[in-house]
Amino acid sequence: MTELSGGPALPQERRVVTAIPGPKSQELMARKQAAVAAGVGTVMPVFAARAGGGVLEDVDGNSFIDLGSGIAVTSVGNSAEAVVRRAAAQLERFTHTCVMVTPYEGYVEVCEELARLTPGDHAKRSALFNSGAEAVENAVKIARSYTGRQAVVVFDHGYHGRTNLTMALTAKNMPYKQGFGPFAPEVYRVPVAYPFRWPTGPENCAEEAAAQAIDQISKQVGAGNVAAIVIEPLLGEGGFIEPAKGFLPRIAEFARDNGIVFVADEIQSGFCRTGRWFACEDEGIVPDLITTAKGIAGGLPLAAVTGRAEIMDAVHSGGLGGTYGGNPVACAAALGAIETMRELDLNAKARRIEEIMKPRLEKMAQQHGVIGEVRGRGAMIAIELVKPGTKEPHPEATAAVARHCHQAGVLVLTTGTYGNVVRFLPPLVIGEDLLNEGLDVVEEALASLG
Ligand SMILES: Cc1ncc(COP(=O)(O)O)c(C=O)c1O
């Protein structure tokens, strides 16, 4: 089977024809080490040549089953037809004017789509940016401007980016924060309902975690000082943690009762990834503001803050922006990505991916005590690895599974506060055979742990 995306006739197959990394990748890696800052790390040390559908081909001719989507970005596949068509047409018309100097229709169209697609039928406005971190920073700016308050509440295991303010919002020290302080003030972290690791068990998790979070906010910060509560409805870098059902609605209600802006960070979980346009829809949450990026534009850099008109419009004219935010080519790509999501019904595809992956991974969990939990929704699925018979995190086994997969031609990513989660983020257009073959390799990798 072949796919047009990624260039003509990119075979949709796993193919390992050299050692991993192959000689051309090794040569390029030597150049990378000599020219690129050491802080820019590499998950899998091969250089990309082409990608599309469910595969990524490297410069040595190896073809990897892509279970990472460039960290949840290429949900519509790499070089998706509508993305390329619309972005190429825009490239020929103009590449940049700066929306704050001379606006263009594509920017408005993306904001109109965001108003249609995000939860709630209230009046909405959007502002566009380049990266997820920039969107989160701007959501905080907007919430502060609207409320006249300063404090921001975030959660254990949360990840919101690598800029100074978003580092402060992010929970995990290594590698995101180590040595980079001082961090922005007025950021407070409270517990999240992490069922697998909740001390009194998953049954009590939602209620107890919400009570603790609310108590800490009330006693340590003062609800009246809080501008925003920022949370990922399905936590990404923290380890694909699904907050226990009931936790999010309780926190959203607390925010509403106290005039706090509730911000859903859907940068990783949004745009069909979990089988819905946005993960917070699963519990009927209507956030005041929602941040999006990654999957929104099929691989081009675009991010957004969307929210209630009265909150978004609280900021004075000129208070939001940046030279490139909402670049016309990125906007055209986003319209192509959204067109693809609708036409191919990628929400249904994500749900189908869950239907295939979850039972197979559950079965592996029965056979391999190293899998502590299988969790996630849609095409955002993970296994948390532990020392068998305990809940002690097992980062070494996690790294070994990832390494085995890479060597065998399957691109997987790891994640988690404890570095012990293998996460799967396939492009939503991946073929079912390819997905199953990828899972076969994961199974081999688990078996190889001995
Ligand atoms: C939930 C969440 N928020 C924010 C970010 C930061 O986005 P970016 O890397 O585009 O700045 C990420 C990136 O992984 C994310 O997963």
Side-chain angles (χ1 to χ4, degrees):
M1 195 179 73
T2 57
E3 286 278 342
L4 268 183
S5 57
L10 179 64
Q12 293 295 295
E13 65 181 17
R14 178 167 67 105
R15 190 174 66 243
V16 180
V17 294
T18 69
I20 305 294
K24 289 186 181 153
S25 279
Q26 288 185 35
E27 225 178 280
L28 284 164
M29 190 57 77
R31 281 174 53 196
K32 176 178 181 277
Q33 276 157 4
V36 178
V40 182
T42 302
V43 169
M44 189 172 77
V46 303
F47 277 71
R50 299 194 295 169
V55 301
L56 181 147
E57 206 176 82
D58 78 3
V59 288
D60 290 290
N62 300 298
S63 176
F64 295 84
I65 299 174
D66 181 5
L67 301 184
S69 299
I71 320 188
V73 170
T74 51
S75 300
V76 295
N78 257 293
S79 305
E81 187 277 330
V83 171
V84 174
R85 170 169 41 83
R86 286 183 182 248
Q90 180 57 45
L91 271 169
E92 291 204 338
R93 281 197 294 273
F94 60 93
T95 50
H96 173 83
T97 62
C98 186
V99 77
M100 299 177 302
V101 177
T102 317
Y104 36 87
E105 188 177 354
Y107 190 112
V108 178
E109 268 187 277
V110 171
C111 296
E112 288 168 348
E113 285 286 22
L114 283 162
R116 275 190 283 273
L117 296 172
T118 53
D121 50 14
H122 49 278
K124 294 174 198 160
R125 306 276 189 271
S126 289
L128 305 183
F129 305 96
N130 303 292
S131 67
E134 216 186 326
V136 175
E137 289 237 359
N138 277 280
V140 171
K141 282 165 64 173
I142 293 162
R144 284 178 170 160
S145 178
Y146 174 70
T147 58
R149 306 172 180 177
Q150 292 187 353
V152 181
V153 170
V154 287
F155 292 82
D156 287 340
H157 309 286
Y159 179 87
H160 302 288
R162 295 170 179 265
T163 57
N164 187 265
L165 174 58
T166 58
M167 274 193 293
L169 302 178
T170 288
K172 189 175 174 178
N173 179 49
M174 245 339 242
Y176 309 122
K177 302 165 76 162
Q178 176 61 36
F180 300 146
F183 304 111
E186 284 305 315
V187 173
Y188 301 89
R189 190 174 319 286
V190 298
V192 73
Y194 184 171
F196 182 67
R197 294 199 174 276
W198 195 253
T200 57
E203 321 69 53
N204 308 314
C205 177
E207 211 177 294
E208 287 180 11
Q212 283 183 22
I214 289 168
D215 187 63
Q216 282 186 24
I217 298 168
S218 309
K219 303 279 168 23
Q220 297 177 21
V221 193
N225 295 318
V226 179
I229 294 178
V230 184
I231 188 161
E232 299 161 84
L234 201 164
L235 285 79
E237 303 304 301
F240 283 23
I241 300 164
E242 293 178 87
K245 287 261 175 296
F247 179 78
L248 287 173
R250 181 71 194 96
I251 299 294
E253 177 189 51
F254 173 77
R256 198 167 46 245
D257 291 349
N258 289 281
I260 299 168
V261 176
F262 182 84
V263 183
D265 181 348
E266 294 252 11
I267 285 165
Q268 191 156 165
S269 57
F271 281 100
C272 307
R273 179 51 58 187
T274 65
R276 293 186 182 266
W277 284 100
F278 298 98
C280 62
E281 291 171 52
D282 270 323
E283 287 192 89
I285 307 271
V286 178
D288 297 315
L289 301 181
I290 182 162
T291 54
T292 52
K294 290 190 181 279
I296 190 175
L300 275 83
L302 190 72
V305 183
T306 301
R308 295 184 188 281
E310 66 276 18
I311 301 177
M312 295 294 294
D313 284 343
V315 178
H316 50 278
S317 177
L320 302 176
T323 304
Y324 292 116
N327 167 271
V329 181
C331 286
L335 295 169
I338 293 167
E339 177 188 324
T340 309
M341 291 174 201
R342 280 206 184 92
E343 275 186 5
L344 301 182
D345 193 357
L346 291 189
N347 279 317
K349 293 277 272 176
R351 291 195 291 270
R352 176 72 189 137
I353 288 170
E354 176 178 344
E355 265 172 32
I356 294 172
M357 294 196 75
K358 274 250 179 104
R360 285 205 59 186
L361 291 167
E362 302 277 10
K363 201 159 160 229
M364 290 181 217
Q366 281 162 18
Q367 282 153 3
H368 301 281
V370 75
I371 299 183
E373 190 177 47
V374 178
R375 57 177 180 253
R377 300 203 288 276
M380 189 167 179
I381 304 281
I383 47 178
E384 174 158 358
L385 302 192
V386 293
K387 307 255 161 82
T390 74
K391 287 198 172 177
E392 198 186 326
H394 205 333
E396 301 81 13
T398 310
V401 167
R403 208 166 34 244
H404 182 106
C405 289
H406 298 169
Q407 296 293 326
V410 178
L411 199 176
V412 297
L413 305 171
T414 61
T415 189
T417 299
Y418 312 107
N420 67 327
V421 175
V422 182
R423 60 172 153 174
F424 305 103
L425 291 161
L428 306 180
V429 296
I430 192 169
E432 292 189 9
D433 289 353
L434 217 49
L435 181 62
N436 271 306
E437 191 178 333
L439 288 168
D440 293 343
V441 172
V442 172
E443 199 164 358
E444 278 166 34
L446 288 162
S448 77
L449 293 173

